Amino acid sequence: MPKRTRAGALTALAGAALVAGTALAAPAAAAPKAPGFLRAADLPPRAGTSWTAGKVTAGIPEEVKQDICIGVGLGGGQDSWYRKFRTDLDTSARQVSAVLPSVRLAKGRFAKLDEDIVSCADRIEMADPQIRATFQDHGTLPVGDGAHVYALRTVTAWGASDIRLISIGREGRTVTVVDWGQLGGFVDAPVKAFKRTTTTAVNKLH
């Protein structure tokens, strides 16, 4: 009996080792690859300066997570990447892209971002009574699986005025947000050029 028990135990151990070895040998699921991003030359031209592009970085920057317009809609940063752009003047931009596990989830992420951006002006004023926010809808773009462009102007009680252009786009499981801003008002916003930038951003995703 002891010999049989030992032999059975050895057989069981060998079987367990074989199973473990098989599990270790199984290929791990491939991590999502970063989608394509805009280049500095793809941004709307800014008179008197040129754009400089940062590197494509995994995750979502802290200032985006705290952004009342897009922070919640972009999620926690898993399978996301971003790129910042700057000029020597007051104009800056950034692109954030996320690859979702399915098209259904990507559609949901796009819809959430759309909803949050549309309601952003009201929520800014509720959060800070000293800021007046005005919103403009610049329509959709026929690129990829859809894109939408918006403008947001904020004016503080002490006179500071900022203009921001925000667009969202989707191609399959990938959702991207392009965010441009500078000092000024709606008249200073390069809407046509920004629409071209958004179209380029979506086309470059895959």
Side-chain angles (χ1 to χ4, degrees):
M1 179 67 71
K3 289 184 179 179
R4 286 200 193 101
T5 302
R6 186 177 179 187
L10 289 173
T11 301
L13 285 173
L18 179 61
V19 172
T22 303
L24 289 173
K33 177 184 175 184
F37 272 76
L38 292 167
R39 298 174 301 127
D42 298 323
L43 275 292
R46 178 68 162 96
T49 187
S50 58
W51 287 97
T52 299
K55 65 179 182 178
V56 175
T57 305
I60 294 178
E62 193 60 35
E63 67 268 20
V64 173
K65 292 180 181 179
Q66 302 300 321
D67 192 300
I68 196 169
C69 295
I70 59 176
V72 173
L74 279 170
Q78 184 177 4
D79 297 333
S80 298
W81 295 264
Y82 68 92
R83 188 174 211 176
K84 295 182 180 181
F85 304 86
R86 63 176 177 81
T87 68
D88 293 330
L89 301 176
D90 60 327
T91 310
S92 62
R94 63 194 172 198
Q95 181 184 6
V96 183
S97 297
V99 180
L100 283 298
S102 69
V103 170
R104 179 182 63 82
L105 290 174
K107 288 180 178 179
R109 181 69 59 91
F110 183 97
K112 173 61 176 171
L113 283 162
D114 197 58
E115 178 184 331
D116 286 357
I117 295 170
V118 169
S119 65
C120 187
D122 291 338
R123 290 184 289 115
I124 287 173
E125 292 185 348
M126 290 176 63
D128 191 340
Q130 295 195 75
I131 298 179
R132 177 72 182 274
T134 310
F135 169 83
Q136 287 184 349
D137 185 338
H138 287 284
T140 59
L141 297 174
V143 59
D145 291 312
H148 210 141
V149 177
Y150 301 98
L152 179 72
R153 185 191 182 195
T154 54
V155 180
T156 66
W158 53 92
S161 178
D162 293 283
I163 182 64
R164 183 177 180 185
L165 295 174
I166 312 172
S167 64
I168 50 175
R170 183 178 70 84
E171 176 66 48
R173 297 187 297 118
T174 306
V175 177
T176 193
V177 175
V178 183
D179 192 1
W180 171 100
Q182 70 174 44
L183 299 177
F186 288 121
V187 69
D188 303 301
V191 175
K192 289 184 179 180
F194 186 74
K195 286 184 175 182
R196 290 193 294 271
T197 294
T198 299
T199 297
T200 301
V202 177
N203 282 330
K204 282 191 170 187
L205 289 176
H206 297 291

